Amino acid sequence: MECPNCKLNEDLEFTRKVVKAGILRGAQRYYCNHCKTHFSEKRKVKIENKNSHQITILDIAKHLGIAPSTVSKALNNKSDINFETKNLIVKLANDLNYKPNHFAKSLSRGNSNTIGVIIPNIERPFFAAVLAGIQSVASKAGYSVIICQSDETHQTEILNIQTLMASRVDGLLISHTKETSTFEHLKIHLNKGVPIVHFDRISNEINSSKITHQNKEGSFQLVEHLIENGCKRIAILAGPKELLISNDRLDGYLAALNKYGIPIDNNLIYNSNFQKDETTKVLDIWLSLENPPDAIFTVFYLNAIEMMVETKKRNIKIPEDIAYVGFGDDLIAELFEPSLTVFHLFPFKMGENAANVLIENIINNEHSKSKTLEITGKLIVRKSSLKS
């Protein structure tokens, strides 16, 4: 060590003329009798293990021998702290590769900048596209996304919500399972002020914002298209009765038949659980009727693909003998032979809208304010329904 002013180094003369003069901001203070000046010892901070653990404000405070509150003020650029002290703290923080704990800071502010998403089945291309839309909006707005899959079970949905609430998400996006018919597990959090937005599979029992499809209108267009192509015996494979979207799509089917004066045959209406084994069973039932259907509409497009596979195995021509249409779209619907006529839902757009509404509610603290947005779909006519 040497006096930075007169360069008196650490020998016998240094020992006689330089004396300790207390501690200043964690560093030893000295007084040089030779040049009559004070100086501080340059503190050597061991930082070789700086990556061994997350450096905290407490670590910086300990190194400098000052209060953690002083470090916090410096790192948060507060004005009520000495300029020299602030620079010393900031320099050491950089040397130690200090990274602020944004999660802890957000909790102190009462938010986490995180939103939760619950979907029934992440393997379905529809929900994957919705998630992409949500992520796109959330990232641009500075929010992280936690995704949970309910696996189409009500109990798992309840556990998902408990997990997300324990993670202190700022808001929740949810599409319900096919089993969910009671909603107390969601109402309790809405009543506590948690912003909640439904998408796709919604509930009218909850006063939340909702992003929906043209369920009735889309079904009406699909069935009307079949009628215009000469179909008279149109069967519908609906979804579970508990699902609101299933009932809405059934209503669209019935409305189209009523408009064109086609009698409603309950033998041609079946509520399913969307599973492949059930589609095969229902197809066999319909084909065994004395007057089988000449067209089949499924409210979940993949069920139509499954039925078409079974229909071709039975050497029944599509669409000449049986025409097919489905609600929703995917690349497989376009590539399958014959390609499937669908009502396209624009899931990415649904995800964008859902995230926008939720983040708006979070920012404006409007958890009790609800709105309903309907995503406009599009009828895409392909070979499976063109009897002519």
Side-chain angles (χ1 to χ4, degrees):
M1 186 197 305
E2 65 180 14
C3 174
N5 186 45
C6 65
K7 305 301 181 182
L8 189 68
N9 58 25
E10 201 167 359
D11 54 14
L12 183 60
E13 185 180 4
F14 178 93
T15 306
R16 287 199 302 265
K17 293 187 176 181
V18 176
V19 295
K20 291 183 178 180
I23 302 293
L24 178 65
R25 289 186 290 276
Q28 179 64 57
R29 189 78 165 162
Y30 294 94
Y31 179 73
C32 180
N33 287 300
H34 182 264
C35 62
K36 309 301 182 184
T37 60
H38 285 89
F39 66 93
S40 296
E41 174 187 13
K42 289 187 178 180
R43 194 171 179 85
K44 295 182 180 180
V45 178
K46 295 182 179 181
I47 61 175
E48 61 270 20
N49 294 323
K50 63 183 178 181
N51 294 322
S52 61
H53 75 286
Q54 177 70 40
I55 298 297
T56 68
I57 285 176
L58 293 177
D59 294 320
I60 298 173
K62 183 177 180 180
H63 278 301
L64 295 177
I66 58 179
S69 60
T70 304
V71 178
S72 178
K73 288 179 181 180
L75 297 180
N76 286 285
N77 200 29
K78 300 295 184 181
S79 59
D80 56 338
I81 181 173
N82 178 274
F83 180 76
E84 184 181 348
T85 303
K86 181 187 292 187
N87 286 342
L88 182 67
I89 293 170
V90 171
K91 182 180 184 305
L92 180 59
N94 289 332
D95 289 343
L96 294 175
N97 196 27
Y98 167 77
K99 304 293 183 184
N101 188 332
H102 294 296
F103 182 70
K105 290 179 68 176
S106 67
L107 290 182
S108 68
R109 296 193 303 268
N111 59 58
S112 64
N113 277 18
T114 304
I115 60 175
V117 184
I118 300 177
I119 57 173
N121 189 334
I122 200 169
E123 293 182 353
R124 290 187 181 177
F126 169 83
F127 288 115
V130 171
L131 289 174
I134 292 171
Q135 184 68 63
S136 174
V137 169
S139 296
K140 293 174 184 176
Y143 283 80
S144 299
V145 180
I146 301 177
I147 302 167
C148 292
Q149 177 181 242
S150 59
D151 201 25
E152 294 285 15
T153 66
H154 179 65
Q155 188 58 40
T156 303
E157 179 177 298
I158 294 174
L159 294 175
N160 287 162
I161 291 174
Q162 292 173 350
T163 299
L164 292 173
M165 293 302 111
S167 300
R168 304 192 59 155
V169 294
D170 294 336
L172 178 66
L173 294 168
I174 184 168
S175 183
H176 287 295
T177 77
K178 63 187 180 184
E179 292 182 358
T180 303
S181 57
T182 59
F183 305 93
E184 295 305 317
H185 60 297
L186 206 56
K187 292 178 182 178
I188 187 174
H189 297 291
L190 186 66
N191 292 336
K192 290 180 179 178
V194 178
I196 296 173
V197 174
H198 280 84
F199 65 93
D200 185 43
R201 301 182 186 178
I202 67 174
S203 167
N204 285 335
E205 290 187 29
I206 301 176
N207 183 33
S208 67
S209 292
K210 301 170 180 65
I211 315 299
T212 68
H213 307 291
Q214 289 181 300
N215 289 306
K216 293 181 182 178
E217 176 63 23
S219 294
F220 182 92
Q221 289 185 29
L222 286 167
V223 177
E224 183 178 55
H225 165 72
L226 290 171
I227 295 170
E228 290 174 347
N229 275 267
C231 300
K232 301 293 184 183
R233 296 272 297 165
I234 303 172
I236 178 172
L237 184 64
K241 293 180 180 180
E242 293 79 14
L243 276 182
L244 182 61
I245 60 169
S246 177
N247 295 325
D248 286 343
R249 292 172 190 179
L250 176 59
D251 287 344
Y253 160 86
L254 296 173
L257 296 185
N258 286 329
K259 177 182 177 180
Y260 288 91
I262 296 177
I264 296 171
D265 186 345
N266 289 328
N267 291 321
L268 299 180
I269 301 173
Y270 192 94
N271 289 95
S272 74
N273 61 7
F274 298 134
Q275 297 302 309
K276 181 178 179 180
D277 58 345
E278 197 166 23
T279 62
T280 302
K281 180 182 73 173
V282 176
L283 179 62
D284 287 336
I285 292 173
W286 283 338
L287 292 179
S288 66
L289 293 174
E290 183 178 347
N291 190 8
D294 57 8
I296 295 175
F297 163 41
T298 68
V299 301
F300 175 39
Y301 71 98
L302 282 181
N303 289 153
I305 299 292
E306 293 163 355
M307 280 192 166
M308 289 167 70
V309 170
E310 295 301 321
T311 300
K312 292 171 73 173
K313 287 180 181 179
R314 292 160 173 75
N315 295 318
I316 299 173
K317 295 181 180 179
I318 306 172
E320 292 83 357
D321 298 326
I322 301 179
Y324 279 92
V325 298
F327 207 103
D329 196 13
D330 182 14
L331 183 61
I332 190 174
E334 183 179 359
L335 297 181
F336 191 82
E337 183 58 38
S339 53
L340 179 64
T341 292
V342 297
F343 190 75
H344 187 74
L345 301 176
F346 299 100
F348 186 87
K349 187 176 181 181
M350 169 164 276
E352 287 182 314
N353 277 270
N356 274 322
V357 171
L358 180 63
I359 292 172
E360 179 184 328
N361 287 351
I362 293 171
I363 293 174
N364 297 328
N365 196 25
E366 295 176 335
H367 66 277
S368 60
K369 184 177 180 181
S370 63
K371 66 170 74 172
T372 298
L373 298 179
E374 187 177 73
I375 305 300
T376 302
K378 180 181 179 181
L379 176 66
I380 299 178
V381 177
R382 299 189 180 119
K383 296 178 182 178
S384 68
S385 61
L386 295 175
K387 282 182 174 289
S388 58

